[in-house]
Amino acid sequence: MPYADIVIAILGAFALAWAADQVTGRRGLFATSLVSGVATVAGWFLAVRVFAVSTMDGWIWVGWSLAASVIALAAFFLFRNKR
């Protein structure tokens, strides 16, 4: 399957968003999915285009993408407005 790494990154980002939503008990899956998805794309951009530690042929960028998603979700729950 030539696009397995992309599918794994997308499913991993959604799984992280779902897990973050369940752990916090907020029931705001759209917001966490949006944060996780944008961070996943940013992690890919940093790994492939900025720092050039990986190419689209490897799997290293998937780890970078999911790590960026974890960092963004943590920042989202830490710094968001709590009315």
Side-chain angles (χ1 to χ4, degrees), residues 4-79:
D5 51 354
I6 297 171
V7 172
I8 296 294
I10 292 170
L11 291 176
F14 184 74
L16 286 171
W18 179 79
D21 186 49
Q22 292 299 314
V23 167
T24 58
R26 300 275 194 251
R27 303 288 189 238
L29 187 58
F30 178 75
T32 56
S33 296
L34 182 64
V35 169
S36 182
V38 169
T40 300
V41 172
W44 166 82
F45 186 77
L46 286 173
V48 174
R49 305 292 284 168
V50 175
F51 296 121
V53 296
S54 177
T55 62
M56 286 296 292
D57 295 334
W59 284 85
I60 296 172
W61 70 268
V62 175
W64 276 66
S65 296
L66 295 179
S69 178
V70 168
I71 292 168
L73 285 169
F76 174 68
F77 286 115
L78 187 62
F79 295 115

